[in-house]
Amino acid sequence: MSLPPTEDMLAKIRRFERNIVIVTAATEVRDEMGVPEAWVELLRQQSAGAKSWLEMWRPYQSLLPEVDDFLQHKVRGICLLLKEPQPPSLLYVYSRGKDLYFFRGWPPLGDRVPKGKEEIWACLLPGLQQFYRELHDGWTQLASDAMGPLPVKDIGYLSDQDWELEPDEKAQLPFRLRDVITVFGNGGGDLLGLDITHGVRASESQALAWWHEEPLAPMLNKNFWGLMGAWIGGQVEDVDLAP
């Protein structure tokens, strides 16, 4: 692996996060940090030269081929980010030119569902529930908290935001705003959502893209994984290959 120097990573992250600690080796982890044991093992394997993060992403390899390519060929390594009072997070480090970037993955939910999100949770795709339970409760770019599936606590309905639509404009939409769950944002106001109009749980083919500048022209009936993979893939298409 070819992680950049810790000082370089800290310098970049401190532009938008304060009072942080970065941990790059399993030997640096202490019990009071609350780091999942599986992540400690990832650091051990990485120290031995393995791309240790690939195995836990294997269930999504065929669903998200663009993300798999990124993880296989462009991620330079992983490390832990600690910041009180937040839980620890796992950073995936990559670069574009001389600049460093990071995806941040939060600890998986396990059997826990965030309070107040039970109704939304019941509507999510089983594969997305598995992602949150077993892999990460949110995996987004560190600087923007976007371009990946949001933490469950941050998922809501399209109706949660004020789109300044008139009643007649809302009537033109093929769905009610409260029937779309938003699970992914691009950081610029555009959203990837799941349409639950026709059932308690969305199907994989009921994903849509909501354009904040063209709210009356959403992209409908798309495959959720295909759409999410394309959005993430487009964001990391031109980043550097890992050294």
Side-chain angles (χ1 to χ4, degrees):
M1 299 304 97
S2 180
L3 273 176
T6 299
E7 295 77 13
D8 292 352
M9 293 190 286
L10 283 170
K12 177 60 183 284
I13 297 171
R14 282 173 177 158
R15 297 180 190 176
F16 43 86
E17 293 274 5
R18 299 294 183 184
N19 303 317
I20 59 171
V21 174
I22 284 181
V23 175
T24 60
T27 53
E28 302 171 28
V29 178
R30 302 187 302 276
D31 290 343
E32 60 267 26
M33 293 176 177
V35 179
E37 179 55 39
W39 289 5
V40 180
E41 181 58 27
L42 293 181
L43 294 181
R44 290 194 189 100
Q45 294 177 16
Q46 178 173 253
S47 296
K51 295 182 178 181
S52 54
W53 56 91
L54 293 179
E55 183 59 32
M56 67 179 187
W57 279 85
R58 195 169 302 280
Y60 309 95
Q61 192 173 37
S62 60
L63 291 172
L64 298 167
E66 300 92 344
V67 177
D68 180 62
D69 179 76
F70 169 70
L71 297 169
Q72 292 262 14
H73 304 297
K74 298 176 180 179
V75 171
R76 299 179 58 169
I78 55 173
C79 59
L80 303 175
L81 177 64
L82 307 178
K83 179 181 179 179
E84 294 291 346
Q86 298 173 342
S89 54
L90 190 66
L91 295 187
Y92 297 71
V93 186
Y94 63 104
S95 62
R96 181 184 281 113
K98 296 182 179 180
D99 211 356
L100 295 176
Y101 295 87
F102 311 86
F103 268 91
R104 170 192 255 173
W106 295 100
L109 287 174
D111 294 329
R112 179 180 61 86
V113 176
K115 187 176 180 180
K117 296 298 181 178
E118 295 85 358
E119 182 181 87
I120 282 178
W121 178 261
C123 298
L124 297 182
L125 303 173
L128 187 56
Q129 290 180 341
Q130 180 185 357
F131 183 99
Y132 286 125
R133 282 196 184 112
E134 300 178 4
L135 184 54
H136 289 300
D137 178 23
W139 187 75
T140 57
Q141 289 185 330
L142 178 62
S144 63
D145 287 329
M147 292 312 302
L150 293 165
V152 174
K153 67 179 180 60
D154 296 329
I155 292 176
Y157 296 99
L158 204 51
S159 56
D160 292 341
Q161 300 185 46
D162 182 10
W163 300 104
E164 299 183 351
L165 295 176
E166 298 297 331
D168 64 318
E169 292 177 314
K170 291 180 181 179
Q172 296 177 43
L173 292 170
F175 47 71
R176 296 177 301 179
L177 296 182
R178 65 178 180 271
D179 285 335
V180 174
I181 297 172
T182 55
V183 298
F184 181 118
N186 69 352
D190 300 327
L191 301 168
L192 189 163
L194 288 167
D195 184 356
I196 58 171
T197 300
H198 302 295
V200 175
R201 172 175 282 167
S203 73
E204 291 188 3
S205 63
Q206 287 176 279
L208 61 89
W210 173 267
W211 316 116
H212 73 286
E213 292 187 346
E214 296 183 82
L216 299 185
M219 182 187 296
L220 303 173
N221 301 318
K222 297 299 180 180
N223 177 271
F224 173 78
W225 300 104
L227 191 56
M228 184 165 73
W231 281 27
I232 298 173
Q235 185 71 12
V236 299
E237 184 177 12
D238 64 342
V239 303
D240 302 332
L241 294 174

